[in-house]
Amino acid sequence: GNSVTQMEGPVTLSEEAFLTINCTYTATGYPSLFWYVQYPGEGLQLLLKATKADDKGSNKGFEATYRKETTSFHLEKGSVQVSDSAVYFCALSVLGGATNKLIFGTGTLLAVQP
Amino acid sequence: NAGVTQTPKFQVLKTGQSMTLQCAQDMNHEYMSWYRQDPGMGLRLIHYSVGAGITDQGEVPNGYNVSRSTTEDFPLRLLSAAPSQTSVYFCASKPRREASYEQYFGPGTRLTVT
């Protein structure tokens, strides 16, 4: 079946540190991959996405590359800010059958300290 | 353009009570869905709809009903609330059912069942 595994948190970093949050997936067919971010008390919002192998999604200094050979979509940022503190969800969507649902990882809490 | 709106923001129910969580979107999106978010489990799909008059079950549909009489509205009904339904509920929509489209999330409803 389809599933997403992401590194457990919390991840605690100092401001300006480098961030990596690992995400690997299992999917039948050709998934689209997403990173969503949830700030405290809010709903989820799309951070970036990639729809085919070797695509790189990027937004607000965050990047992730769709690696089919390693079934991975790791999130990276070169220099985090306090305002990046949030929960990050890796997700995939595969068109097929009647479901076509978004499958989420369990989320990784990032806390950035000044 | 309000995006996806949800009401109420918070709700406390007693076991056995029923209620409806409201969801509306003003983006003319075909696809709408309901998720619940529980600690350590990410988001899980409850029900979804690919258009007015069409609904189907997700991975955790028991105890919930939905209907889609208009493109804009997708209410979620709890038939007889149970403590296991204590959760944060998110409604989401996207333009079409294809996997590559991002989903837009509402702000969530935090439900407590005592």
Side-chain angles (χ1 to χ4, degrees):
Chain A
N2 301 320
S3 66
V4 175
T5 302
Q6 62 182 104
M7 65 187 287
E8 293 192 15
V11 174
T12 303
L13 295 174
S14 297
E15 206 164 22
E16 299 184 2
F18 184 85
L19 168 71
T20 300
I21 301 178
N22 290 336
C23 172
T24 57
Y25 66 89
T26 303
T28 54
Y30 300 94
S32 292
L33 302 174
F34 305 84
W35 277 101
Y36 282 84
V37 59
Q38 184 180 29
Y39 297 104
E42 298 184 10
L44 281 72
Q45 54 186 275
L46 180 71
L47 181 60
L48 53 85
K49 71 176 186 181
T51 58
K52 61 183 187 296
D54 299 324
D55 268 2
K56 177 186 283 188
S58 61
N59 185 25
K60 299 181 181 180
F62 291 89
E63 292 183 340
T65 301
Y66 187 163
R67 302 282 188 203
K68 189 177 178 187
E69 63 276 12
T70 54
T71 62
S72 64
F73 194 54
H74 304 321
L75 182 68
E76 296 182 336
K77 187 175 186 183
S79 176
V80 294
Q81 306 300 312
V82 172
S83 57
D84 294 326
S85 298
V87 180
Y88 292 82
F89 292 93
C90 185
L92 69 83
S93 183
V94 181
L95 180 64
T99 307
N100 187 24
K101 63 182 181 181
L102 199 57
I103 298 168
F104 287 89
T106 54
T108 302
L109 173 63
L110 170 66
V112 181
Q113 299 176 337
Chain B
N1 188 334
V4 180
T5 57
Q6 292 183 237
T7 57
K9 197 169 179 63
F10 300 95
Q11 182 70 49
V12 179
L13 292 178
K14 295 188 189 306
T15 297
Q17 287 185 317
S18 63
M19 80 158 294
T20 299
L21 308 186
Q22 300 293 342
C23 173
Q25 52 90 11
D26 61 359
M27 298 174 283
N28 201 32
H29 285 175
E30 290 183 356
Y31 185 97
M32 296 185 74
S33 54
W34 277 101
Y35 293 85
R36 58 177 289 171
Q37 181 180 28
D38 301 295
M41 301 189 74
L43 279 78
R44 294 179 292 168
L45 181 67
I46 305 171
H47 286 284
Y48 67 99
S49 168
V50 298
I54 307 169
T55 64
D56 208 342
Q57 297 181 350
E59 60 181 312
V60 288
N62 291 341
Y64 307 96
N65 274 356
V66 292
S67 60
R68 184 99 179 268
S69 57
T70 67
T71 298
E72 294 78 20
D73 300 299
F74 191 45
L76 178 72
R77 297 185 192 82
L78 279 70
L79 308 172
S80 177
S84 61
Q85 294 178 304
T86 294
S87 187
V88 182
Y89 292 85
F90 289 100
C91 180
S93 73
K94 64 179 180 177
R96 296 170 61 89
R97 63 181 294 176
E98 280 79 2
S100 60
Y101 285 102
E102 70 170 281
Q103 293 205 36
Y104 295 79
F105 284 82
T109 294
R110 184 175 295 275
L111 175 68
T112 302
V113 183
T114 61

